Every structure is written in structure tokens, then in C-alpha cells.
Amino acid sequence: MERVLMKGNEVIGEAAIRSGCRLFFGYPITPSTEVVEYLSKHLPQKGGTVLQAEDEIAAINMCYGAAATGSRVMTASSSPGISLKQEGISYSAAAELPMVIVNVNRCGPGLGGLGPAQSDYFQSTKGGGHGDYRLIVLAPSKAQELYDFTMEAFDLADKYRNPVLILSDGFLGQTMEPVILKERPEVPKVDRSWTVGGCKDREKRIVASYSLTNEIGEINNQRWEAKYKIIQQKEQRWESFYTEDAEYLLVSYGTTGRICKSTVLNAREKGIKLGLIRPITLWPFPDNAFLPHKNKVKGIITVELNTGQMIEDVKLAVACKMPVHLYRRQGGMLPTEHEILDYFQDTFDVSGEV
């Protein structure tokens, strides 16, 4: 293991290389550009290929073709670029093609700005393209998780034959932090009998998403739905922080989840029993994390860099058993731990006593 200081976007590139990714197709866009820059320099040294496509639409369709051969492939972009990829992502999910997609979320809508945001939550977790499909969505909160989750993303993509999205943001992508470059274990063996080999194949194999009849279409959709249910049962992930005796909870992911840890510690110093649930998988959303708290917690605040998106999943998870409020910042602005604590105390009329 090696401990180094790296920018978040570069960490993603290094983790992809060490995960066996040998093909990257993308198009530069701030604040994700360092991913393609890092891979352009280092991936060819490992026998891989980086291609800057003519645009994001071409890039995602190149990923489709590469994934169909069984190769480990990745693309990366930021919010407007991810929007352009949505049709190709829907096709890839329907064709059950494993690939890793990185979104270094910037603020919007429209061209927006370059600051960090979480405004792509709906797009990421509800299916930003057409049709009924799901992406596995991982939400790192620091450089080490960018490294670990990127490695895990490739394994999950292969395991479920499904695209996996890493939802980062402009803060995580541009911040330099120490990270331990752990050697990954041997790549798990998966069935690749479905992959295409062009003229080398003696057996005709087709990778497609089109249903010739309505009956076939229903069968296909039911198969995908069954797979998504398995993922929901097996892959919910979260971090619980001071939740054992918590009377109130913060719920936040990514960069704001990291800030909320300091808020919890500040509250505890004041004698306030505040805890944090930090979703690691945004889809499947970790509903199970809330089961022990439904009849114990007095209230919840979600902390988000948007107008309120994850709050809908939190309300569903707690089945309206308690009040759920929103603290938000937008436009690339980050809250401080003290601002969050002030909002919490004002909302629930809680004064700390040591």
C-alpha cells in the first residue's frame, strides 16, 4: 500500500486503472476534466486506450460497444455532459451492459456554474433517461472513498450486468487529500458468455434492447425489475454516526455528509443527542438504515445542495412517522457545520446543555 496526496478526480482515474479498466471514452468538461487528463497520461502505459470523443453522446455509445465485448470501460463527465449521455445510459441499462459512469456534479440548471452541487440526485437515482431502469449509485464523501468506491463500482457492474454511477461533485473532484492506494484483490470471476466477439464468434450473439413484440417487452421489463429488487435487498449501504442514542437525525451524503459529522460532534458537546445517517448507496436508497429509529427519533433534517431531492426518499423511508425538514444551499455554496446546527436548533427549538 502507498499513501499519496492526490486530487479527487485523479484518484478516480488511478482506481480505474487498478481495477482493470482499459478503455475510457469521454469529453472534457469542468470540474471533471482531470479524470480524462490523468487517464490519458497513465492508462496507455498499462496497455489501455483513452479516446476523446467528438461529444458526450458519442462517448457513451462507444462505452456501449466496448462493454458489449466484456471489456471494463468507464466514462466521466459533469452535469450537462451527463444529460447528453442519458439516452445511451438507458440503452446500456436495457442491454444489461456493465460500465462505470462518473458524474462530478456541478450546479445548475442549464449551464449553471462550476461549484459543487447535489442537484443531479433525481437524475441519478430515478432514471434520467427514458423507460423503467435503474443505476446503482455510489456517493463518496472523501478521496479514500473515491478510490475504494471506484474499485467497487467495476465489481458491482460486472456482478449485476448493470451500469454503476459514481456521484461525486466539484468539491470532491478538485480537493487534494491523502489517499491509500490499496492493491485490489483478484477481479471476481463472472459469466461472460453473453459478450460479443465479432467475426471471431462461431456462435451468433446479439446485444440489443429492442423488443420485437409487446409480449417480449413485458418479459424483458419483468426480468430487469426482478434484478433491481435483488439489488435493493442486497446492496443497501450507509454509515451511521452517533445514532445509537440519537433523539434527532441529520441525513446527508457526499460532501455535505462529511460536513454534518462536525455538526453532530458540535451538538454532542452541547449535550444534544444528534446523529447522522449518511447514505452510501443513493440507489438502492438505504431504507433499512431508518428501521431502528422510526419510533425513537423526534425529527430529521436532510442537508442537501439542491432545492430538496433526497428528502423525498427519506420521507418514504420513515413512512411519515416523524417530521422531516430540509436545510439547503444552492448555486455552488457549501454550508458550515455551525449554520446547520443553528438551523437544527431553530427548527426543533432545542437548546444545548452540557
Side-chain angles (χ1 to χ4, degrees):
M1 295 190 296
E2 181 184 5
R3 192 169 189 262
V4 298
L5 184 67
M6 297 182 73
K7 182 178 283 193
N9 286 336
E10 296 175 342
V11 170
I12 293 171
E14 181 62 27
I17 294 171
R18 295 184 183 225
S19 297
C21 176
R22 292 297 176 264
L23 293 169
F24 178 92
F25 306 101
Y27 191 83
I29 178 174
T30 306
S32 72
T33 301
E34 291 86 358
V35 179
V36 63
E37 288 179 343
Y38 187 88
L39 287 169
S40 295
K41 180 177 180 180
H42 297 280
L43 189 57
Q45 299 174 9
K46 301 294 183 180
T49 299
V50 174
L51 178 61
Q52 178 178 316
E54 56 267 36
D55 56 32
E56 290 86 352
I57 299 171
I60 192 64
N61 285 290
M62 291 175 184
C63 289
Y64 182 108
T69 70
S71 301
R72 284 197 155 184
V73 60
M74 184 172 82
T75 188
S77 191
S78 294
S79 305
I82 294 293
S83 294
L84 290 169
K85 297 177 189 285
Q86 289 304 318
E87 182 186 38
I89 292 173
S90 177
Y91 273 70
S92 299
E96 297 186 273
L97 295 175
M99 64 180 68
V100 174
I101 303 161
V102 178
N103 181 2
V104 185
N105 197 163
R106 56 189 266 181
C107 55
L111 191 58
L114 306 182
Q118 296 172 336
S119 47
D120 293 354
Y121 180 91
F122 281 156
Q123 181 194 63
S124 304
T125 61
K126 310 302 182 186
H130 58 285
D132 287 325
Y133 74 92
R134 295 285 194 174
L135 305 180
I136 299 173
V137 183
L138 301 175
S141 66
K142 56 186 177 181
Q144 189 63 57
E145 289 183 346
L146 287 170
Y147 184 83
D148 296 340
F149 291 2
T150 299
M151 285 193 164
E152 190 167 13
F154 282 100
D155 292 345
L156 287 170
D158 281 342
K159 180 179 179 180
Y160 293 105
R161 280 188 60 188
N162 205 74
V164 176
L165 176 71
I166 299 171
L167 187 56
S168 178
D169 64 48
F171 177 83
L172 291 171
Q174 296 298 316
T175 298
M176 295 192 71
E177 292 186 273
V179 59
I180 298 174
L181 303 180
K182 298 176 285 189
E183 291 296 335
R184 64 155 296 128
E186 185 178 352
V187 175
K189 293 183 179 180
V190 294
D191 176 26
R192 297 193 181 277
S193 61
W194 56 271
T195 60
V196 298
C199 60
K200 296 179 181 179
D201 272 347
R202 294 181 178 274
E203 175 187 354
K204 184 177 181 180
R205 298 173 184 167
I206 298 175
V207 174
S209 63
Y210 183 62
S211 302
L212 293 175
T213 68
N214 294 339
E215 290 77 12
I216 294 175
E218 184 176 48
I219 291 171
N220 287 340
N221 276 273
Q222 289 172 344
R223 186 181 76 253
W224 301 325
E225 183 183 11
K227 177 175 70 173
Y228 299 147
K229 286 182 178 178
I230 292 173
I231 296 172
Q232 282 181 300
Q233 292 168 1
K234 294 186 175 181
E235 302 299 343
Q236 293 186 31
R237 302 178 191 185
W238 68 91
E239 179 188 7
S240 295
F241 188 71
Y242 283 89
T243 59
E244 295 82 359
D245 63 342
E247 296 179 353
Y248 300 90
L249 288 174
L250 301 178
V251 183
S252 194
Y253 70 90
T255 295
T256 51
R258 179 175 179 164
I259 297 170
C260 283
K261 286 187 175 181
S262 296
T263 302
V264 169
L265 294 176
N266 290 339
R268 290 280 169 166
E269 289 180 358
K270 295 183 176 183
I272 301 171
K273 293 183 178 180
L274 182 63
L276 167 69
I277 292 177
R278 179 175 69 91
I280 291 174
T281 52
L282 301 184
W283 194 88
F285 190 75
D287 296 330
N288 293 340
F290 298 87
L291 293 177
H293 308 289
K294 281 187 178 181
N295 298 316
K296 298 179 181 179
V297 172
K298 299 176 182 178
I300 290 176
I301 292 177
T302 69
V303 181
E304 307 184 53
L305 302 180
N306 53 47
T307 57
Q309 297 186 17
M310 182 185 64
I311 188 173
E312 296 189 8
D313 286 329
V314 174
K315 288 181 177 179
L316 289 172
V318 301
C320 299
K321 297 282 186 180
M322 64 198 71
V324 181
H325 299 271
L326 169 69
Y327 179 78
R328 64 187 180 275
R329 296 297 300 269
Q330 301 176 64
M333 296 298 293
L334 291 174
T336 69
E337 63 267 32
H338 302 294
E339 290 169 347
I340 298 169
L341 184 55
D342 288 344
Y343 177 82
F344 161 74
Q345 291 182 284
D346 291 341
T347 301
F348 293 111
D349 193 22
V350 176
S351 59
E353 296 180 2
V354 178

